[in-house]
Amino acid sequence: MLNYGREMKIFTGNSNIALSKSICQSLGKELGKSECKRFADGECSVSVYEPVRGSDVFLIQSTCKPVNDNLMELLVMIDAMRRASAGRITAVIPYFGYARQDRKAKSRDPISAKLVANMITAAGADRVLTMDLHANQIQGFFDIPVDNLMGAHLFANYFVSRFGKGNEDVMVVSPDVGSVARVRAFAHKIDMQMAIVDKRREKANVSEVMNIIGNVEGKTVILLDDMVDTAGSLCGAAKALMEIGKAKEIFACASHGVLSGPAIERIEQSCIKELILLDTIPYPADAPKCDKIKYLPVGPMFAEAMEHIHEETSIASLFE
């Protein structure tokens, strides 16, 4: 018997309770009894209402908006479980915030992704389970095991069921040069041609489209990205594909729908016919409904990965 394998227990923070319930439903388990609240001055307070001594504990928490509150909540939850003598603690982070700050872009820049990795490790996590990190090298920022699931499998199933595999009238497009490797793997998976939108970014959240590498004229286009924040890049790429590339119609997909600021309005007004997101981040509660946005569930995939981790078996099948 493994020291931490006697019992699997799942707890959640406040960032994405619906996803936590979906994962538990797929596993046939109940959420652990706990509570995350705030003191009057805004400090995070965590209470765990059941024993976890020797248990294999999974803490589910996306570090999405409000990022700092949700990150602190995760750290305090990890500390609470460590001090309660949990056998092993796995931080399940469907969306890993601060991932875009993974290098020094200019002098005196912080590498915040490394700092957050250090904090999670120092708090007492034994391993991390996440999805579609903005940069794969962030796995190396941790000194504990990291499993980075790929949402492309879910998108592949969706679009193959819609357009079929190897459809010559459909092309997969990378919205920028930085996403080429991700898009190439996705295009190979569904056996379709790919193109690239080449752009120059003048400043944060503002991009200028420069050129389209590849012929998308008359094609149905699938734009693939890892996240949609303010949607400026995505909508700009879609506009260029229609106006410059003469594409027939635009579909878009991204693993993480951050949807900050004017994102919803931009998507509504864009030429994008449909935007498919994964439910790693909940739809903004204060935003108007956008009929173009649809969500695919990631709960079953996370549940399967967690089950393999608990049983100490390989999760390689989830990457194939």
Side-chain angles (χ1 to χ4, degrees), residues 29-91:
K29 292 186 173 292
E30 296 290 331
L31 268 175
K33 297 179 177 64
S34 65
E35 185 179 23
C36 299
K37 54 186 179 180
R38 299 281 181 271
F39 289 114
D41 63 353
E43 289 182 4
C44 177
S45 170
V46 170
S47 300
V48 181
Y49 299 124
E50 61 181 85
V52 297
R53 184 178 296 273
S55 297
D56 193 9
V57 172
F58 292 81
L59 301 177
I60 304 172
Q61 178 82 330
S62 279
T63 50
C64 52
K65 296 186 295 187
V67 179
N68 296 330
D69 287 348
N70 286 331
L71 174 59
M72 196 65 202
E73 205 171 86
L74 174 63
L75 297 174
V76 176
M77 288 171 66
I78 294 171
D79 184 71
M81 298 299 175
R82 177 60 63 211
R83 295 179 187 278
S85 300
R88 178 175 65 175
I89 302 169
T90 301

Side-chain angles (χ1 to χ4, degrees), residues 113-149:
K114 171 60 175 169
L115 173 62
V116 172
N118 289 345
M119 292 166 66
I120 291 171
T121 305
D126 293 298
R127 66 185 304 132
V128 169
L129 174 63
T130 186
M131 174 170 275
D132 281 329
L133 288 168
H134 184 67
N136 287 328
Q137 65 265 26
I138 293 174
Q139 294 176 78
F141 292 178
F142 287 88
D143 294 323
I144 55 177
V146 177
D147 294 306
N148 182 31
L149 301 178

Side-chain angles (χ1 to χ4, degrees), residues 6-26:
R6 289 195 294 271
E7 187 176 7
M8 179 184 192
K9 292 196 173 184
I10 304 168
F11 296 86
T12 184
N14 292 318
S15 67
N16 198 341
I17 295 175
L19 175 57
S20 300
K21 289 180 177 178
S22 171
I23 292 172
C24 285
Q25 184 178 9
S26 295

Side-chain angles (χ1 to χ4, degrees), residues 17-292:
I17 295 175
L19 175 57
S20 300
K21 289 180 177 178
S22 171
I23 292 172
C24 285
Q25 184 178 9
S26 295
L27 287 168
K29 292 186 173 292
E30 296 290 331
L31 268 175
K33 297 179 177 64
S34 65
E35 185 179 23
C36 299
K37 54 186 179 180
R38 299 281 181 271
F39 289 114
D41 63 353
E43 289 182 4
C44 177
S45 170
V46 170
S47 300
V48 181
Y49 299 124
E50 61 181 85
V52 297
R53 184 178 296 273
S55 297
D56 193 9
V57 172
F58 292 81
L59 301 177
I60 304 172
Q61 178 82 330
S62 279
T63 50
C64 52
K65 296 186 295 187
V67 179
N68 296 330
D69 287 348
N70 286 331
L71 174 59
M72 196 65 202
E73 205 171 86
L74 174 63
L75 297 174
V76 176
M77 288 171 66
I78 294 171
D79 184 71
M81 298 299 175
R82 177 60 63 211
R83 295 179 187 278
S85 300
R88 178 175 65 175
I89 302 169
T90 301
V92 182
I93 311 173
Y95 168 69
F96 184 81
Y98 284 104
R100 284 172 285 183
Q101 300 178 44
D102 64 313
R103 67 194 187 283
K104 291 185 68 171
K106 61 182 186 298
S107 299
R108 295 174 294 279
D109 270 1
I111 304 180
S112 304
K114 171 60 175 169
L115 173 62
V116 172
N118 289 345
M119 292 166 66
I120 291 171
T121 305
D126 293 298
R127 66 185 304 132
V128 169
L129 174 63
T130 186
M131 174 170 275
D132 281 329
L133 288 168
H134 184 67
N136 287 328
Q137 65 265 26
I138 293 174
Q139 294 176 78
F141 292 178
F142 287 88
D143 294 323
I144 55 177
V146 177
D147 294 306
N148 182 31
L149 301 178
M150 303 298 176
H153 303 299
L154 301 174
F155 295 131
N157 291 337
Y158 177 84
F159 285 112
V160 166
S161 66
R162 182 155 190 165
F163 300 117
K165 190 172 183 179
N167 190 331
E168 295 183 356
D169 295 324
V170 182
M171 289 187 72
V172 183
V173 176
S174 173
D176 53 49
V177 175
S179 299
V180 168
R182 180 185 294 108
V183 173
R184 183 182 291 116
F186 178 70
H188 178 73
K189 187 180 296 292
I190 61 178
D191 192 23
M192 293 179 184
Q193 297 298 310
M194 69 169 287
I196 304 167
V197 176
D198 181 31
K199 69 183 182 184
R200 181 178 66 235
R201 186 180 296 277
E202 301 292 342
K203 56 183 178 180
N205 296 328
V206 177
S207 62
E208 180 182 355
V209 174
M210 299 298 292
N211 193 21
I212 296 172
I213 304 171
N215 182 15
V216 298
E217 185 173 354
K219 304 282 188 180
T220 294
V221 165
I222 301 172
L223 270 169
L224 174 70
D225 211 345
D226 66 318
M227 71 172 68
V228 178
D229 189 355
T230 60
S233 296
L234 190 72
C235 294
K239 182 179 179 181
L241 287 165
M242 291 294 285
E243 295 182 355
I244 300 174
K246 308 299 182 184
K248 177 184 176 183
E249 56 183 355
I250 309 289
F251 290 82
C253 57
S255 297
H256 310 299
V258 181
L259 303 179
S260 303
I264 303 294
E265 182 180 357
R266 283 175 172 171
I267 293 165
E268 279 282 16
Q269 296 175 356
S270 74
C271 55
I272 295 173
K273 184 174 181 179
E274 189 175 84
L275 171 60
I276 310 299
L277 301 172
L278 303 181
D279 60 353
T280 57
I281 301 174
Y283 190 82
D286 57 347
K289 188 177 186 302
C290 179
D291 293 330
K292 289 185 177 183

